[in-house]
Amino acid sequence: MNTLIFRTIAPFLVALMLLFSVFILLRGHNEPGGGFIGGLIAASALAIYGIAAGVPAVRRAILFHPLSIAGAGLMMSALAGLISIAAAVPFMTGLWVHPSIFGVEVSLSTVMLFDIGVYFVVVGAITAIALALEEREVE
């Protein structure tokens, strides 16, 4: 399924899917969604790009090895739990801070840090699997 139409539309579809995955990630605190489903959408976008442009193009586009992305996400998720321990509350308790950035109050939480970590774990792991399968298929 490597037609001219698919190769032409794939970059636009991938960009739209990645944007949608970030939307799903960020709305997951108040409505259905979150890091896991957002990560699956992003990994699917990268798999589509791999089918259309090839595995080397995907590896150049993501800059880091997919398992490094997953490892960074795992560290972020663990850090979300360790912050709560450092604050002398039970492990994985949600904590919020409200810094003012350019005069706008922004609510940041350990819950969001955990969700972003899950997002990176899913993107890295599923992308690594998809790229390995696509490389094997070419051989």
Side-chain angles (χ1 to χ4, degrees):
M1 183 171 157
N2 200 4
T3 65
L4 177 62
I5 294 171
F6 181 63
R7 285 192 313 263
T8 304
I9 201 71
F12 300 107
L13 180 63
V14 167
L16 185 63
M17 287 177 72
L18 289 174
L19 185 64
F20 184 65
S21 78
V22 172
F23 169 73
I24 292 294
L25 165 68
L26 295 177
R27 82 181 271 241
H29 304 314
N30 302 322
E31 297 178 22
F36 186 79
I37 191 65
L40 287 177
I41 294 168
S44 299
L46 293 174
I48 288 172
Y49 190 62
I51 293 168
V55 173
V58 175
R59 292 197 186 278
R60 283 191 307 271
I62 60 175
L63 300 177
F64 299 103
H65 192 279
L67 293 180
S68 297
I69 295 170
L74 188 60
M75 286 178 29
M76 289 173 71
S77 295
L79 179 64
L82 294 176
I83 290 172
S84 62
I85 289 176
V89 294
F91 184 69
M92 297 300 282
T93 299
L95 301 171
W96 283 261
V97 294
H98 305 281
S100 180
I101 300 174
F102 300 116
V104 177
E105 186 175 306
V106 179
S107 294
L108 300 176
S109 70
T110 57
V111 178
M112 179 179 273
L113 181 64
F114 179 79
D115 252 358
I116 293 170
V118 169
Y119 179 86
F120 284 137
V121 168
V122 172
V123 168
I126 302 299
T127 300
I129 292 168
L131 293 180
L133 290 173
E134 289 175 21
E135 283 177 338
R136 184 176 289 262
E137 184 178 299
V138 171
E139 292 175 359

PDB file of all heavy atoms in Angstrom, residues 1 4 6 12 16 19-20 47 51 56 63 67 80 83-84 87 92 94 100 104 129-130:
ATOM      1  N   MET A   1       0.828  -1.185   0.000  1.00  0.00           N
ATOM      2  CA  MET A   1       0.000   0.000   0.000  1.00  0.00           C
ATOM      3  C   MET A   1       0.871   1.247   0.000  1.00  0.00           C
ATOM      4  O   MET A   1       0.696   2.152   0.770  1.00  0.00           O
ATOM      5  CB  MET A   1      -0.902  -0.014   1.235  1.00  0.00           C
ATOM      6  CG  MET A   1      -1.842   1.142   1.257  1.00  0.00           C
ATOM      7  SD  MET A   1      -3.026   0.925   2.587  1.00  0.00           S
ATOM      8  CE  MET A   1      -3.466   2.609   2.798  1.00  0.00           C
ATOM      9  N   LEU A   4       1.232   6.546  -4.622  1.00  0.00           N
ATOM     10  CA  LEU A   4       1.577   7.962  -4.683  1.00  0.00           C
ATOM     11  C   LEU A   4       0.630   8.799  -3.823  1.00  0.00           C
ATOM     12  O   LEU A   4       1.060   9.718  -3.115  1.00  0.00           O
ATOM     13  CB  LEU A   4       1.543   8.446  -6.139  1.00  0.00           C
ATOM     14  CG  LEU A   4       1.822   9.931  -6.345  1.00  0.00           C
ATOM     15  CD1 LEU A   4       3.217  10.287  -5.868  1.00  0.00           C
ATOM     16  CD2 LEU A   4       1.625  10.305  -7.795  1.00  0.00           C
ATOM     17  N   PHE A   6      -1.010   7.828  -1.137  1.00  0.00           N
ATOM     18  CA  PHE A   6      -0.698   7.578   0.275  1.00  0.00           C
ATOM     19  C   PHE A   6       0.561   8.320   0.697  1.00  0.00           C
ATOM     20  O   PHE A   6       0.597   8.950   1.760  1.00  0.00           O
ATOM     21  CB  PHE A   6      -0.556   6.075   0.521  1.00  0.00           C
ATOM     22  CG  PHE A   6      -0.270   5.723   1.947  1.00  0.00           C
ATOM     23  CD1 PHE A   6      -1.180   6.023   2.948  1.00  0.00           C
ATOM     24  CD2 PHE A   6       0.908   5.101   2.298  1.00  0.00           C
ATOM     25  CE1 PHE A   6      -0.918   5.704   4.272  1.00  0.00           C
ATOM     26  CE2 PHE A   6       1.179   4.775   3.606  1.00  0.00           C
ATOM     27  CZ  PHE A   6       0.260   5.081   4.595  1.00  0.00           C
ATOM     28  N   PHE A  12       0.568  14.998   5.986  1.00  0.00           N
ATOM     29  CA  PHE A  12      -0.533  15.811   6.509  1.00  0.00           C
ATOM     30  C   PHE A  12      -1.344  15.034   7.541  1.00  0.00           C
ATOM     31  O   PHE A  12      -1.724  15.574   8.578  1.00  0.00           O
ATOM     32  CB  PHE A  12      -1.442  16.280   5.372  1.00  0.00           C
ATOM     33  CG  PHE A  12      -0.720  17.114   4.352  1.00  0.00           C
ATOM     34  CD1 PHE A  12      -0.420  16.590   3.106  1.00  0.00           C
ATOM     35  CD2 PHE A  12      -0.328  18.409   4.651  1.00  0.00           C
ATOM     36  CE1 PHE A  12       0.248  17.353   2.168  1.00  0.00           C
ATOM     37  CE2 PHE A  12       0.342  19.180   3.727  1.00  0.00           C
ATOM     38  CZ  PHE A  12       0.641  18.653   2.476  1.00  0.00           C
ATOM     39  N   LEU A  16      -1.717  15.904  11.595  1.00  0.00           N
ATOM     40  CA  LEU A  16      -3.035  16.015  12.209  1.00  0.00           C
ATOM     41  C   LEU A  16      -3.192  15.024  13.361  1.00  0.00           C
ATOM     42  O   LEU A  16      -3.718  15.381  14.422  1.00  0.00           O
ATOM     43  CB  LEU A  16      -4.117  15.785  11.149  1.00  0.00           C
ATOM     44  CG  LEU A  16      -5.555  15.986  11.588  1.00  0.00           C
ATOM     45  CD1 LEU A  16      -5.788  17.430  12.003  1.00  0.00           C
ATOM     46  CD2 LEU A  16      -6.495  15.615  10.456  1.00  0.00           C
ATOM     47  N   LEU A  19      -1.121  16.214  16.409  1.00  0.00           N
ATOM     48  CA  LEU A  19      -1.812  17.315  17.076  1.00  0.00           C
ATOM     49  C   LEU A  19      -3.001  16.802  17.879  1.00  0.00           C
ATOM     50  O   LEU A  19      -3.216  17.217  19.023  1.00  0.00           O
ATOM     51  CB  LEU A  19      -2.267  18.339  16.036  1.00  0.00           C
ATOM     52  CG  LEU A  19      -2.904  19.611  16.564  1.00  0.00           C
ATOM     53  CD1 LEU A  19      -1.900  20.409  17.378  1.00  0.00           C
ATOM     54  CD2 LEU A  19      -3.439  20.440  15.410  1.00  0.00           C
ATOM     55  N   PHE A  20      -3.756  15.882  17.308  1.00  0.00           N
ATOM     56  CA  PHE A  20      -4.895  15.298  18.005  1.00  0.00           C
ATOM     57  C   PHE A  20      -4.445  14.503  19.227  1.00  0.00           C
ATOM     58  O   PHE A  20      -5.102  14.521  20.271  1.00  0.00           O
ATOM     59  CB  PHE A  20      -5.713  14.422  17.055  1.00  0.00           C
ATOM     60  CG  PHE A  20      -6.953  13.848  17.662  1.00  0.00           C
ATOM     61  CD1 PHE A  20      -7.983  14.683  18.072  1.00  0.00           C
ATOM     62  CD2 PHE A  20      -7.092  12.484  17.825  1.00  0.00           C
ATOM     63  CE1 PHE A  20      -9.130  14.161  18.642  1.00  0.00           C
ATOM     64  CE2 PHE A  20      -8.234  11.949  18.388  1.00  0.00           C
ATOM     65  CZ  PHE A  20      -9.263  12.793  18.793  1.00  0.00           C
ATOM     66  N   ALA A  47       3.778   5.144  12.872  1.00  0.00           N
ATOM     67  CA  ALA A  47       3.746   3.908  12.082  1.00  0.00           C
ATOM     68  C   ALA A  47       3.258   4.195  10.662  1.00  0.00           C
ATOM     69  O   ALA A  47       3.797   3.640   9.690  1.00  0.00           O
ATOM     70  CB  ALA A  47       2.849   2.882  12.766  1.00  0.00           C
ATOM     71  N   ILE A  51       5.311   3.550   7.171  1.00  0.00           N
ATOM     72  CA  ILE A  51       4.827   2.816   6.004  1.00  0.00           C
ATOM     73  C   ILE A  51       4.979   3.658   4.746  1.00  0.00           C
ATOM     74  O   ILE A  51       5.365   3.159   3.685  1.00  0.00           O
ATOM     75  CB  ILE A  51       3.358   2.388   6.211  1.00  0.00           C
ATOM     76  CG1 ILE A  51       3.256   1.357   7.332  1.00  0.00           C
ATOM     77  CG2 ILE A  51       2.755   1.841   4.923  1.00  0.00           C
ATOM     78  CD1 ILE A  51       1.836   1.088   7.801  1.00  0.00           C
ATOM     79  N   PRO A  56      13.868   4.588   8.017  1.00  0.00           N
ATOM     80  CA  PRO A  56      14.919   5.598   8.253  1.00  0.00           C
ATOM     81  C   PRO A  56      14.362   7.025   8.362  1.00  0.00           C
ATOM     82  O   PRO A  56      14.875   7.823   9.157  1.00  0.00           O
ATOM     83  CB  PRO A  56      15.830   5.456   7.033  1.00  0.00           C
ATOM     84  CG  PRO A  56      15.623   4.058   6.571  1.00  0.00           C
ATOM     85  CD  PRO A  56      14.179   3.766   6.848  1.00  0.00           C
ATOM     86  N   LEU A  63      14.362  11.926  16.150  1.00  0.00           N
ATOM     87  CA  LEU A  63      15.641  12.361  16.718  1.00  0.00           C
ATOM     88  C   LEU A  63      16.240  11.403  17.749  1.00  0.00           C
ATOM     89  O   LEU A  63      17.446  11.242  17.808  1.00  0.00           O
ATOM     90  CB  LEU A  63      15.538  13.753  17.347  1.00  0.00           C
ATOM     91  CG  LEU A  63      15.113  14.886  16.407  1.00  0.00           C
ATOM     92  CD1 LEU A  63      15.001  16.181  17.202  1.00  0.00           C
ATOM     93  CD2 LEU A  63      16.067  15.048  15.250  1.00  0.00           C
ATOM     94  N   LEU A  67      13.172   3.679  22.368  1.00  0.00           N
ATOM     95  CA  LEU A  67      13.277   3.166  23.732  1.00  0.00           C
ATOM     96  C   LEU A  67      13.851   4.203  24.688  1.00  0.00           C
ATOM     97  O   LEU A  67      13.573   4.170  25.889  1.00  0.00           O
ATOM     98  CB  LEU A  67      14.094   1.878  23.756  1.00  0.00           C
ATOM     99  CG  LEU A  67      13.428   0.693  23.041  1.00  0.00           C
ATOM    100  CD1 LEU A  67      14.310  -0.545  23.105  1.00  0.00           C
ATOM    101  CD2 LEU A  67      12.061   0.406  23.624  1.00  0.00           C
ATOM    102  N   ALA A  80       6.943  11.820  39.295  1.00  0.00           N
ATOM    103  CA  ALA A  80       5.656  12.309  39.799  1.00  0.00           C
ATOM    104  C   ALA A  80       5.329  11.677  41.150  1.00  0.00           C
ATOM    105  O   ALA A  80       4.789  12.341  42.033  1.00  0.00           O
ATOM    106  CB  ALA A  80       4.542  12.007  38.795  1.00  0.00           C
ATOM    107  N   ILE A  83       7.922  13.045  43.928  1.00  0.00           N
ATOM    108  CA  ILE A  83       7.631  14.409  44.394  1.00  0.00           C
ATOM    109  C   ILE A  83       6.641  14.358  45.551  1.00  0.00           C
ATOM    110  O   ILE A  83       6.781  15.093  46.533  1.00  0.00           O
ATOM    111  CB  ILE A  83       7.102  15.279  43.237  1.00  0.00           C
ATOM    112  CG1 ILE A  83       8.220  15.571  42.246  1.00  0.00           C
ATOM    113  CG2 ILE A  83       6.497  16.581  43.754  1.00  0.00           C
ATOM    114  CD1 ILE A  83       7.771  16.260  40.984  1.00  0.00           C
ATOM    115  N   SER A  84       5.663  13.478  45.449  1.00  0.00           N
ATOM    116  CA  SER A  84       4.687  13.377  46.544  1.00  0.00           C
ATOM    117  C   SER A  84       5.340  12.833  47.819  1.00  0.00           C
ATOM    118  O   SER A  84       5.000  13.267  48.917  1.00  0.00           O
ATOM    119  CB  SER A  84       3.496  12.515  46.130  1.00  0.00           C
ATOM    120  OG  SER A  84       3.911  11.202  45.835  1.00  0.00           O
ATOM    121  N   ALA A  87       7.114  15.580  49.488  1.00  0.00           N
ATOM    122  CA  ALA A  87       6.192  16.519  50.127  1.00  0.00           C
ATOM    123  C   ALA A  87       5.528  15.915  51.362  1.00  0.00           C
ATOM    124  O   ALA A  87       4.617  16.521  51.924  1.00  0.00           O
ATOM    125  CB  ALA A  87       5.134  16.959  49.121  1.00  0.00           C
ATOM    126  N   MET A  92       2.195   8.914  44.979  1.00  0.00           N
ATOM    127  CA  MET A  92       1.316   9.217  43.851  1.00  0.00           C
ATOM    128  C   MET A  92       0.123  10.110  44.215  1.00  0.00           C
ATOM    129  O   MET A  92      -0.872  10.128  43.514  1.00  0.00           O
ATOM    130  CB  MET A  92       0.818   7.937  43.158  1.00  0.00           C
ATOM    131  CG  MET A  92       1.918   7.108  42.534  1.00  0.00           C
ATOM    132  SD  MET A  92       2.853   7.959  41.262  1.00  0.00           S
ATOM    133  CE  MET A  92       1.733   7.862  39.906  1.00  0.00           C
ATOM    134  N   GLY A  94      -1.699  13.525  44.131  1.00  0.00           N
ATOM    135  CA  GLY A  94      -1.630  14.669  43.229  1.00  0.00           C
ATOM    136  C   GLY A  94      -1.324  15.956  43.972  1.00  0.00           C
ATOM    137  O   GLY A  94      -1.965  16.276  44.969  1.00  0.00           O
ATOM    138  N   SER A 100       3.031  31.926  38.092  1.00  0.00           N
ATOM    139  CA  SER A 100       2.591  32.976  37.173  1.00  0.00           C
ATOM    140  C   SER A 100       3.636  33.105  36.071  1.00  0.00           C
ATOM    141  O   SER A 100       4.794  33.445  36.338  1.00  0.00           O
ATOM    142  CB  SER A 100       2.437  34.293  37.926  1.00  0.00           C
ATOM    143  OG  SER A 100       2.007  35.297  37.047  1.00  0.00           O
ATOM    144  N   VAL A 104       0.272  35.293  33.606  1.00  0.00           N
ATOM    145  CA  VAL A 104      -0.862  34.371  33.524  1.00  0.00           C
ATOM    146  C   VAL A 104      -0.622  33.233  34.510  1.00  0.00           C
ATOM    147  O   VAL A 104       0.431  32.597  34.488  1.00  0.00           O
ATOM    148  CB  VAL A 104      -1.025  33.808  32.090  1.00  0.00           C
ATOM    149  CG1 VAL A 104      -2.146  32.805  32.035  1.00  0.00           C
ATOM    150  CG2 VAL A 104      -1.234  34.924  31.101  1.00  0.00           C
ATOM    151  N   ILE A 129       8.308  -1.069  18.606  1.00  0.00           N
ATOM    152  CA  ILE A 129       7.743  -2.320  18.083  1.00  0.00           C
ATOM    153  C   ILE A 129       7.357  -2.166  16.624  1.00  0.00           C
ATOM    154  O   ILE A 129       7.678  -3.016  15.782  1.00  0.00           O
ATOM    155  CB  ILE A 129       6.532  -2.753  18.937  1.00  0.00           C
ATOM    156  CG1 ILE A 129       6.991  -3.160  20.331  1.00  0.00           C
ATOM    157  CG2 ILE A 129       5.768  -3.898  18.268  1.00  0.00           C
ATOM    158  CD1 ILE A 129       5.858  -3.329  21.326  1.00  0.00           C
ATOM    159  N   ALA A 130       6.668  -1.065  16.293  1.00  0.00           N
ATOM    160  CA  ALA A 130       6.222  -0.855  14.911  1.00  0.00           C
ATOM    161  C   ALA A 130       7.402  -0.728  13.955  1.00  0.00           C
ATOM    162  O   ALA A 130       7.392  -1.315  12.861  1.00  0.00           O
ATOM    163  CB  ALA A 130       5.342   0.393  14.827  1.00  0.00           C
TER     164      ALA A 130
END
